[in-house]
Amino acid sequence: MAIKRTRNVTMTDVASHSGVSRTTVSFVLSNRENANIPDSTRRRVLEAVDALGYRPNAGAQALAAQKSDWYGLITEIVTAPFAVDIIKGVQDKAWDERKFVLIASSEGDQAMETAAIEKLLEQRVEGLIYATTWHRAVTLPPAALEVPTVLINCFDPEDRFPCVVPDEEIGGYRATKRLLDAGHSRIAFINLDPAMPAAIGRRAGYDRAHAEAGVTVDPDLVVYGHALADGGYDAAAALLDSASPPTAFFCGNDRMAMGAYDAVKEHGLRIPQDIAMVGFDNQEIISQFLRPRLTTVALPFEQMGAVGVTMLADLIAGAPLRTNRMLIDCPLLERASV
Amino acid sequence: MAIKRTRNVTMTDVASHSGVSRTTVSFVLSNRENANIPDSTRRRVLEAVDALGYRPNAGAQALAAQKSDWYGLITEIVTAPFAVDIIKGVQDKAWDERKFVLIASSEGDQAMETAAIEKLLEQRVEGLIYATTWHRAVTLPPAALEVPTVLINCFDPEDRFPCVVPDEEIGGYRATKRLLDAGHSRIAFINLDPAMPAAIGRRAGYDRAHAEAGVTVDPDLVVYGHALADGGYDAAAALLDSASPPTAFFCGNDRMAMGAYDAVKEHGLRIPQDIAMVGFDNQEIISQFLRPRLTTVALPFEQMGAVGVTMLADLIAGAPLRTNRMLIDCPLLERASV
DNA sequence: ACCACCGAGTAACGCGCGTTAGTAACGCGG
DNA sequence: CCGCGTTACTAACGCGCGTTACTCGGTGGT
């Protein structure tokens, strides 16, 4: 465990080592124009930087320059899978803008969340991104008002913060249209809790697709399931046992589709020959590995993260936002279950 | 979008607002002992803090105090699911020690990884935690040597860094013993790539359990599968079609178990009545929702994260480490597939 | 010979804060 | 009245760096 504890090398060290003033070192390192640094000097400085292993002190830089180059990201990291894609989208995009992302997890706990925001503000982040794992309304701690803030996958009921949310309606529309196009007319919709924005939007898309196709929606085919595999299983089994069963299922999420698969198989039916199935979320570990692989609608979290960063940058720059509520398209991913 | 842009309030502002010196404010806020601050003064200061919305500047604090209270965490965030648990374990434990965690993602890319470490060092993190999503040897950029560093779920071939890794052997042992105890004697082992530390350790545990039970291992029952659902399906199907098929499967991960489930069901066999199944990883989204729910061995990532933080704290404090390679137990989670 | 100008470089201030070394006022025993 | 210990505070330095406002030694033009 040999730890090379380099004494903290500062610009002053670099300066004396290369025989110039600290100011000159600063000019060289910040590539300042109009500074008239001849190449010979520049080289001497850079060599000293290398030789001494100089590393700028970000805190001191931020203090002197009065800016931090950091964005803060608050997210529910426990509820796992989706948060990761948002983080990735945010981080990559931020990197493009030479910004870094300070991640704090909220764990759903309100007190901890407030503490996290405080900590980020103490780091003097230039802006805040608040992301949730499921589409919903949120109420942020008041501290968030102190700094430019963008919401991802959630929205402020009072509209004080701009947000990026998935276009649930188009997702529901795409899924349903795909099934209608495949010739199905009895399409069951195992939706999420009807109070959720996701459920409302997707239902609207389901209805619109039917309307455009001139097919009447049978209200008995639209049910609400517990949002896990069991919920999908139960709902699908009940529908298959009904007097006039559906020939296709549109499931509110991939987990329910996973349960529905089991119900279909246990009824001795084959996917997609006898029953077609479309999911939602594109939770890869499920949709990629179900047999047959599941056709589903993607929630483009990574893209949402990237768009969020762009909006935040505009907000910080004081640029006008095109919209306070950015809708992100949800594409259909064709696999093998239709 | 009403953004309350509070001009940056400093200690000096608080001082003048409450009629004391900046030093006194500092003493009050840091709860300094032996400072003899009467309650009346303390209250005046705290009221001013509140009234002005003062918020300490972490960068300035770090600069003055010559310490940062931050740990750096580098992790492969793309390969998703596991990274999240490590992050959670690290963050919670760090919070207990009043430390904060700066997360950077490496994305597997060597250049980006080096850049990430540099950035963390520029923030003057007190230590570094490097975590991977699968157990393996890693080679860190040399910059990691400049600061106390702990590895999680990976190890340094040259042993320059202490590490926390899962005890694969005990995991393999537990899984196998459970099946032996259930009366099985022909237990197939669909292992991961035999070059992986995980595969080696689990195989050793599998062998030890057999040896202790006095059961001879049939080498034909130990196969290596592509680590995805298809690999599990193919391997399980082949074994079930063989002359003397197994009565139980121990799968190298839950994804393969997911595929094996399909193979078993397609052979008209029932789990667990006809075939018992044990997975590995406890990838919740799979093991919780397969029907029947999958008995599996957990990789305790959260715990590994917490232990890593403890080791790092010791390392920073210069305390002697009990071991340079901490093994974490992998418990068996009983569900319904045995 | 004088001035204007340019290239090359530096002294010095301030960012917000922790901390040390003080000071000023007061009470109390002798 | 002196000396001394408390109590309650503050002046001032330094952390590492960005930045502004300079200095100083040449060159070229008139």
Side-chain angles (χ1 to χ4, degrees):
Chain A
M1 226 166 337
I3 290 176
K4 189 176 61 181
R5 287 250 191 213
T6 38
R7 183 182 62 75
N8 262 335
V9 180
T10 74
M11 276 189 129
T12 310
D13 299 328
V14 174
S16 61
H17 189 271
S18 54
V20 299
S21 73
R22 204 182 52 69
T23 306
T24 302
V25 176
S26 176
F27 285 172
V28 168
L29 292 184
S30 59
N31 256 318
R32 191 192 171 90
E33 300 175 13
N34 316 329
N36 289 326
I37 312 273
D39 270 359
S40 60
T41 305
R42 174 183 308 274
R43 242 191 319 271
R44 280 218 322 286
V45 169
L46 292 178
E47 276 164 17
V49 164
D50 227 53
L52 298 178
Y54 169 73
R55 207 181 285 290
N57 181 319
Q61 278 181 314
L63 188 57
Q66 295 288 77
K67 53 197 270 294
S68 71
D69 285 352
W70 287 89
Y71 291 161
L73 172 62
I74 297 146
T75 181
E76 313 158 310
I77 231 167
V78 250
T79 336
F82 302 139
V84 170
D85 291 318
I86 297 182
I87 293 176
K88 182 162 158 48
V90 168
Q91 218 157 22
D92 287 357
K93 187 67 183 182
W95 176 263
D96 287 349
E97 303 183 357
R98 318 267 81 190
K99 301 290 182 188
F100 306 97
V101 179
L102 207 46
I103 303 174
S105 62
S106 62
E107 317 287 336
D109 179 292
Q110 186 76 26
M112 194 156 175
E113 186 169 296
T114 303
I117 292 190
E118 306 267 311
K119 272 294 152 195
L120 293 178
L121 293 182
E122 289 180 13
Q123 290 293 325
R124 297 296 188 265
V125 295
E126 298 181 0
L128 234 39
I129 295 177
Y130 185 96
T132 55
T133 49
W134 55 279
H135 189 173
R136 64 177 195 268
V138 292
T139 305
L140 261 59
L145 287 166
E146 294 180 25
V147 84
T149 299
V150 169
L151 309 183
I152 294 184
N153 206 29
C154 52
F155 55 92
D156 179 30
E158 300 176 37
D159 236 29
R160 289 167 304 179
F161 306 100
C163 64
V164 184
V165 293
D167 189 341
E168 310 280 3
E169 199 270 350
I170 196 87
Y173 173 81
R174 291 236 162 85
T176 310
K177 180 168 191 321
R178 176 68 184 84
L179 291 168
L180 288 163
D181 287 351
H184 296 277
S185 58
R186 291 193 57 74
I187 303 170
F189 182 19
I190 308 179
N191 203 355
L192 303 168
D193 177 339
M196 292 169 55
I200 295 168
R202 293 170 198 179
R203 173 63 197 267
Y206 173 86
D207 287 346
R208 177 160 67 93
H210 277 82
E212 284 185 9
V215 178
T216 311
V217 170
D218 176 354
D220 290 343
L221 291 180
V222 178
V223 300
Y224 298 98
H226 180 48
L228 298 177
D230 287 342
Y233 178 88
D234 294 342
L239 283 162
L240 290 172
D241 287 335
S242 72
S244 48
T247 62
F249 285 93
F250 171 30
C251 297
N253 66 30
D254 289 354
R255 290 200 299 274
M256 293 203 293
M258 186 170 167
Y261 261 53
D262 283 324
V264 168
K265 289 180 183 175
E266 287 181 16
H267 275 74
L269 299 169
R270 294 160 307 163
I271 299 172
Q273 295 88 338
D274 305 317
I275 298 281
M277 184 87 67
V278 176
F280 213 108
D281 287 0
N282 189 33
Q283 199 157 2
E284 309 232 338
I285 203 164
I286 294 180
S287 49
Q288 294 269 16
F289 299 128
L290 281 179
R291 311 178 64 87
R293 294 165 69 228
L294 178 66
T295 291
T296 192
V297 178
L299 283 171
F301 286 106
E302 197 172 325
Q303 186 190 351
M304 285 166 55
V307 171
V309 169
T310 306
M311 287 180 80
L312 183 58
D314 287 349
L315 200 57
I316 291 174
L321 260 39
R322 277 186 313 172
T323 166
N324 210 31
R325 187 161 190 157
M326 180 79 86
L327 289 179
I328 304 294
D329 194 8
C330 295
L332 180 75
L333 300 185
E334 298 269 2
R335 290 206 260 259
S337 63
V338 176
Chain B
M1 228 164 338
I3 290 179
K4 187 176 63 181
R5 287 249 190 215
T6 38
R7 181 183 62 78
N8 262 336
V9 181
T10 75
M11 276 189 136
T12 309
D13 298 329
V14 175
S16 62
H17 189 272
S18 54
V20 298
S21 73
R22 205 183 50 69
T23 307
T24 301
V25 176
S26 176
F27 285 173
V28 169
L29 291 184
S30 60
N31 256 317
R32 190 193 172 91
E33 302 175 10
N34 315 330
N36 288 325
I37 311 273
D39 271 359
S40 61
T41 305
R42 174 184 308 275
R43 239 191 322 269
R44 280 218 321 285
V45 169
L46 293 178
E47 275 164 17
V49 163
D50 225 55
L52 299 178
Y54 168 73
R55 208 181 284 291
N57 180 319
Q61 278 181 314
L63 188 58
Q66 296 288 77
K67 53 198 270 294
S68 70
D69 286 351
W70 287 89
Y71 291 160
L73 172 61
I74 298 146
T75 182
E76 313 158 311
I77 230 164
V78 248
T79 336
F82 301 140
V84 170
D85 291 318
I86 297 181
I87 293 177
K88 181 162 160 45
V90 168
Q91 219 157 21
D92 286 358
K93 187 68 181 180
W95 175 264
D96 287 349
E97 303 183 358
R98 319 265 81 190
K99 301 290 182 189
F100 306 97
V101 181
L102 209 44
I103 303 174
S105 62
S106 61
E107 318 286 335
D109 179 293
Q110 186 75 27
M112 194 154 174
E113 186 168 296
T114 303
I117 291 190
E118 306 265 314
K119 270 295 151 195
L120 292 179
L121 292 182
E122 289 180 12
Q123 289 292 323
R124 295 298 187 266
V125 294
E126 298 181 1
L128 234 41
I129 295 177
Y130 184 97
T132 55
T133 50
W134 54 279
H135 189 175
R136 64 178 196 266
V138 292
T139 305
L140 262 59
L145 287 166
E146 293 180 27
V147 86
T149 298
V150 170
L151 310 183
I152 293 184
N153 206 27
C154 51
F155 55 92
D156 178 31
E158 300 176 38
D159 235 29
R160 289 168 302 177
F161 306 100
C163 63
V164 184
V165 293
D167 188 341
E168 311 279 4
E169 199 269 351
I170 196 84
Y173 173 80
R174 293 237 159 85
T176 310
K177 181 167 190 320
R178 177 69 184 83
L179 292 168
L180 288 164
D181 286 351
H184 296 276
S185 57
R186 292 194 55 73
I187 303 170
F189 183 17
I190 307 179
N191 204 355
L192 303 168
D193 178 338
M196 292 169 54
I200 295 168
R202 293 171 198 178
R203 173 62 198 267
Y206 173 85
D207 287 347
R208 178 160 68 92
H210 277 84
E212 283 185 9
V215 178
T216 311
V217 170
D218 176 353
D220 289 344
L221 291 181
V222 179
V223 300
Y224 297 97
H226 180 49
L228 297 177
D230 288 342
Y233 178 88
D234 294 343
L239 283 163
L240 289 172
D241 288 335
S242 72
S244 50
T247 63
F249 285 93
F250 171 29
C251 297
N253 66 29
D254 289 354
R255 291 200 298 273
M256 293 203 293
M258 186 170 167
Y261 261 53
D262 284 325
V264 168
K265 289 178 182 174
E266 287 181 14
H267 276 73
L269 299 168
R270 293 160 309 161
I271 300 171
Q273 294 90 336
D274 305 317
I275 296 280
M277 184 87 66
V278 176
F280 213 110
D281 286 1
N282 189 33
Q283 200 156 4
E284 308 232 340
I285 204 164
I286 294 181
S287 49
Q288 293 269 18
F289 299 127
L290 281 178
R291 309 178 64 88
R293 293 165 69 229
L294 177 67
T295 292
T296 192
V297 178
L299 283 171
F301 285 107
E302 196 172 325
Q303 186 189 352
M304 285 166 55
V307 171
V309 169
T310 306
M311 288 180 80
L312 183 58
D314 287 348
L315 200 58
I316 291 174
L321 260 39
R322 278 186 313 172
T323 167
N324 210 31
R325 187 160 188 157
M326 181 80 85
L327 290 179
I328 304 295
D329 194 10
C330 296
L332 180 75
L333 300 185
E334 299 269 2
R335 289 206 261 259
S337 63
V338 177

